[in-house]
Amino acid sequence: MTYRRAAIPALIGGLLLTALLWWAGASANALYLPGTAGVIGGRAAAELEHWLTPWSYDPPASVQFGAGVSGGIGDTAGTDGTRYLALYATALQIRFGAVFAFFVPGALLLVRRLPPVHGRMPAALLAVWAWGLVAGTLAVTVSAPWLIAAQGHGSYRFLPQLASAISSGRQVLVVTALVAAAGTVLAARVTAKGAGPLPQAVVPARAARLAATAGTAMIALSLVVLSYQPVAAAIQTVSPDGGLFAEPGELLRQWLLLGAWAGPAGAPLGDWLLYRAADVLLLAVVWWALRRLPGLLTRATVPAMAAGGVCATVLGLLASQLLRVATDGAGLRWDLMYLSAGIGGGVPAALTCGLVAGVAAAVTLRVAVGRAETVDATASVQGPARP
């Protein structure tokens, strides 16, 4: 698919995702209406408020409190309060603009290399959905410094505050990104009509398996080695000399670790294995996606494989989180809102590890395919063996 045909669906999806997030943030006011807590429950209303506040233009209590602090003589307090609120509005403007700016290039690449035709529709939908989560997370990240400054204490533990801000608003992204992905893929299916037959790469099965294994090994490094609790604790306690960028451990944890696990100390082995089944599912989803990806792409380029590796890791995370919700909620001890609080987490680490996994898979694929072509060329030159 040409860039011109792929640009229209990417723009439609970016506008749809931005509009849905803005609408979700504006809907937070409905939680304060009389009787809302009685209809959906006080705990559910509080949880929904926590999910929607990162996308709402109404400043949270921390910003309102900072805006009301006295600044000294005259009207300094009012002036400072206006500046805090202006910083918060600027942070939200950057956030919504960044959502569109990050979503469109990734969706453009995915739609061009993975057009939703000839059996590629489900793969394209899942890939664009995963990229929507990545775009939203990156938007939250780049706008977080303004949001932290709006709370009036940006110089105190800046990196831990940044890590906390990055992990906010992810639950809403899961739903809105899915709707935006559906709109993008449907629009891409329309624009792909009349484009002629789209090529589909023919990849040797052995080369595809080797590429998937190499990429999955990169994900396993984060999931099995770095996420082991003693190693994760060592990463989180990294703290150089003081200053604005001291205590980077929590931020490193966000960008490097896909989970956390330890041995079955104090727990039955069966329960521990059941909980680890989510990690196995993550690796299985990543391997299967990377195994299928080269054959689905119109051309298995390094950028396309890297984006596919990110999307595969995000989808693996979502699958593992849904499995944990199902296993934790088997006894119905907690309500669904509480169990769903962890959905959408780990996207920064999925972005980092997925990029590495995708590049590793692309390099392995090229080497394996090149080696196979060399062997075939040598065999054809030598001809059949004489009796």
Side-chain angles (χ1 to χ4, degrees):
M1 183 182 290
T2 62
Y3 279 111
R4 181 176 61 85
R5 290 179 180 272
I8 297 174
L11 290 172
I12 291 175
L15 291 173
L16 185 57
L17 178 60
T18 306
L20 287 172
L21 288 172
W22 178 86
W23 173 78
S27 301
N29 291 326
L31 299 173
Y32 303 107
L33 295 176
T36 301
V39 173
I40 64 176
R43 183 173 181 176
E47 195 71 27
L48 279 175
E49 180 184 0
H50 178 69
W51 293 5
L52 297 177
T53 296
W55 304 101
S56 174
Y57 268 93
D58 291 333
S62 58
V63 177
Q64 295 175 0
F65 176 77
V69 174
S70 175
I73 302 174
D75 61 346
T76 307
T79 303
D80 289 345
T82 303
R83 289 173 179 171
Y84 283 127
L85 295 176
L87 275 173
Y88 183 82
T90 301
L92 268 294
Q93 292 168 3
I94 294 172
R95 181 164 295 184
F96 286 112
V99 167
F100 181 83
F102 283 119
F103 180 85
V104 171
L108 177 63
L109 176 63
L110 291 171
V111 170
R112 184 169 184 263
R113 293 300 181 192
L114 191 61
V117 293
H118 303 305
R120 297 176 173 131
M121 185 81 171
L125 176 63
L126 293 174
V128 178
W129 179 29
W131 184 255
L133 269 71
V134 174
T137 302
L138 290 175
V140 171
T141 302
V142 299
S143 61
W146 283 266
L147 196 65
I148 294 171
Q151 296 175 357
H153 45 81
S155 61
Y156 173 70
R157 290 174 54 85
F158 175 74
L159 293 182
Q161 288 186 77
L162 182 61
S164 177
I166 291 172
S167 62
S168 63
R170 61 182 185 268
Q171 298 88 354
V172 179
L173 273 171
V174 175
V175 180
T176 54
L178 180 58
V179 178
T184 303
V185 169
L186 290 176
R189 194 172 180 86
V190 173
T191 58
K193 292 181 179 179
L198 297 172
Q200 189 165 355
V202 178
V203 181
R206 184 173 182 274
R209 287 195 296 267
L210 286 174
T213 303
T216 307
M218 299 296 103
I219 304 300
L221 176 65
S222 173
L223 186 64
V224 178
V225 179
L226 298 181
S227 296
Y228 182 50
Q229 283 189 0
V231 180
I235 293 174
Q236 192 166 5
T237 54
V238 171
S239 182
D241 295 335
L244 183 63
F245 297 104
E247 301 179 90
E250 294 181 32
L251 188 60
L252 287 174
R253 185 184 183 91
Q254 285 279 343
W255 290 96
L256 294 178
L257 308 186
L258 289 171
W261 69 278
L269 181 60
D271 294 344
W272 183 83
L273 290 175
L274 180 63
Y275 201 73
R276 296 276 68 78
D279 298 334
V280 176
L281 177 62
L282 193 160
L283 294 176
V285 169
V286 170
W287 189 91
W288 179 82
L290 291 178
R291 166 66 180 82
R292 294 290 310 278
L293 186 62
L296 293 172
L297 295 173
T298 57
R299 185 182 174 192
T301 61
V302 174
M305 289 292 293
V310 173
C311 296
T313 310
V314 173
L315 292 173
L317 271 177
L318 289 174
S320 66
Q321 290 161 1
L322 288 175
L323 180 59
R324 284 205 172 98
V325 169
T327 54
D328 290 346
L332 298 178
R333 293 172 297 176
W334 305 100
D335 56 17
L336 185 61
M337 292 291 294
Y338 178 83
L339 292 172
S340 302
I343 298 293
V347 175
L351 173 61
T352 306
C353 302
L355 282 174
V356 177
V359 172
V363 173
T364 305
L365 182 67
R366 286 192 177 184
V367 172
V369 171
R371 186 175 299 174
E373 291 176 350
T374 302
V375 171
D376 292 342
T378 303
S380 63
V381 170
Q382 292 177 350
R386 295 181 180 179

